[in-house]
Amino acid sequence: MSLRDSGFDVLDRVIQRALKRPGVRAYPRADNYERLLRRVALRQPKATWLAALVSDPAGGVYERVAPFPALGLSWRDLALAQAMRPSGIFGSLTSLAR
Amino acid sequence: MNQDDAPLILRLQSGDLEALGILYDRYRLVVYRTALAIIRDPDAADDLLQEVFLRLHTYAASVKPELPLAPWLYRVTINLSYTWFSRRRWLAPIDDFLEKLIGPTRQHPEPAAERRSDREAMQRAIDALPFNQRVVVILHYLNDLSLQEIAEIVKCPVGTVKSRLYYARESLRQQLEGTALSPEVAYEFTR
C-alpha cells in the first residue's frame, strides 16, 4: 500500500518533518522565565509614597521611600533637616529662648 | 488540553506567581515552537513567549477556568506573531540595508548541504505562504490539531480552515515542483 493510499500523502510527511525539525534553536532560553518574572514585577502596581508611609510592614510610619537615594536620605531625614532650619520649629524655639 | 489547568488559573487569578511558573513549564515548548514556526526567529520567539505569559498574568481575570487554556495561548501566540510581522514589514527595508552592509562577513548558521535539503526547501515554501494559511498549516502539522480545534482557535468556520489548508497544500505542492527534492517526494509531486 502506497503512502497516498494509506491516506497520508508524502507531501504531508514532508511538511510535518520540516515543521517538527526547525533547524534552529528548538528550545526557549533557560533564563526566559526569570526575564518574564522581572517584567511581571515591573508591571505590579507601585505604591505611592503616602501609601508606603502608612502601610509600612515594620510598623513604623517612616521610610520605604527614599526621596534622595543618591544621598541616602529618607523622609525622616528630610523632616529633621526642615525642622532644624532657622525658620523651622527648632530654630524658632532657639530664637525664642534667646 | 489539560484539565488540571483550572485550579492553576484560579490561583493565578488570586495573584499566585507559582501557578504562572507551573503553567509556563507546561506550555512553554508549545508556545515557543508555534511562535518559532510562524516567525522563524528564535530570539523573537523568546520575546513572544514572554509576552504571551505576561498577558496571561495581566489578563488572568478574563481567562475562564472551566475552558482549556491551550486554545487561549495559541490564539494570543498567533495574534502576537501577526503584530510582529506587521511591525517587521516597516523595519524590513532597514534590515535589508543592514544585511547588505554586513552581509559578506556574516556566517549562516547552517551548513550549505543542509540548506539544500528537502526540509529547507519545504520550510522556505511554508514561509512564503500567506499568514492565514501558514497558521493553519503550522497548527495542523506541528501541533497535530484537528480542523475543529483550529477553527475554534482562529475563530472561523471549519470550512474556512479546510479551504485554507487545501490551498496551502496546493501552493506548497506547486512551489516545490522543480526543486531538488528527494526522488520519492519529487515522484509524488509529478504524479
Side-chain angles (χ1 to χ4, degrees), chain B residues 4-14 16 18-20 22-23 26:
Chain B
D4 298 336
D5 292 343
L8 291 169
I9 294 168
L10 289 171
R11 280 171 60 188
L12 186 62
Q13 287 173 343
S14 63
D16 184 352
E18 195 189 339
L20 182 69
I22 297 168
L23 289 170
R26 192 173 286 174

Side-chain angles (χ1 to χ4, degrees), chain B residues 83-137:
Chain B
T83 308
W84 185 86
F85 267 110
S86 306
R87 286 182 186 158
R88 191 169 166 77
R89 196 171 52 212
W90 293 100
L91 294 173
I94 301 169
D95 282 352
D96 290 346
F97 175 69
L98 291 173
E99 187 76 23
K100 278 178 189 167
L101 281 180
I102 61 171
T105 57
R106 201 169 175 175
Q107 296 294 319
H108 200 282
E110 288 183 297
E114 198 179 349
R115 279 207 304 273
R116 287 194 296 270
S117 69
D118 294 355
R119 183 175 57 74
E120 282 297 311
M122 175 56 82
Q123 188 62 66
R124 279 194 297 275
I126 293 170
D127 292 348
L129 288 174
F131 187 83
N132 285 341
Q133 291 180 14
R134 195 184 330 162
V135 164
V136 170
V137 165

Side-chain angles (χ1 to χ4, degrees), chain B residues 28-80:
Chain B
R28 73 192 168 99
L29 283 183
V30 169
V31 171
Y32 174 79
R33 287 179 182 171
T34 304
L36 183 64
I38 298 173
I39 63 183
R40 303 285 298 142
D41 179 341
D43 293 331
D46 268 332
D47 290 344
L48 206 139
L49 170 65
Q50 274 185 44
E51 193 60 39
V52 168
F53 280 90
L54 196 61
R55 289 196 179 205
L56 177 62
H57 176 261
T58 307
Y59 301 110
S62 64
V63 178
K64 293 177 181 168
E66 66 273 17
L67 297 178
L69 183 62
W72 190 93
L73 292 172
Y74 279 128
R75 198 173 306 127
V76 175
T77 305
I78 291 163
N79 289 342
L80 288 174

Side-chain angles (χ1 to χ4, degrees), chain A residues 34-82:
Chain A
E34 281 72 32
R35 289 195 291 148
L36 168 68
L37 285 184
R38 279 201 291 274
R39 291 180 69 187
V40 167
L42 283 175
R43 290 208 176 182
Q44 296 286 350
K46 291 184 177 66
T48 62
W49 66 271
L50 187 60
L53 277 177
V54 297
S55 64
D56 187 352
V61 291
Y62 310 116
E63 250 121 49
R64 290 196 73 199
V65 175
F68 304 107
L71 299 174
L73 294 176
S74 65
W75 286 110
R76 183 170 42 177
D77 300 324
L78 189 67
L80 196 61
Q82 177 75 9

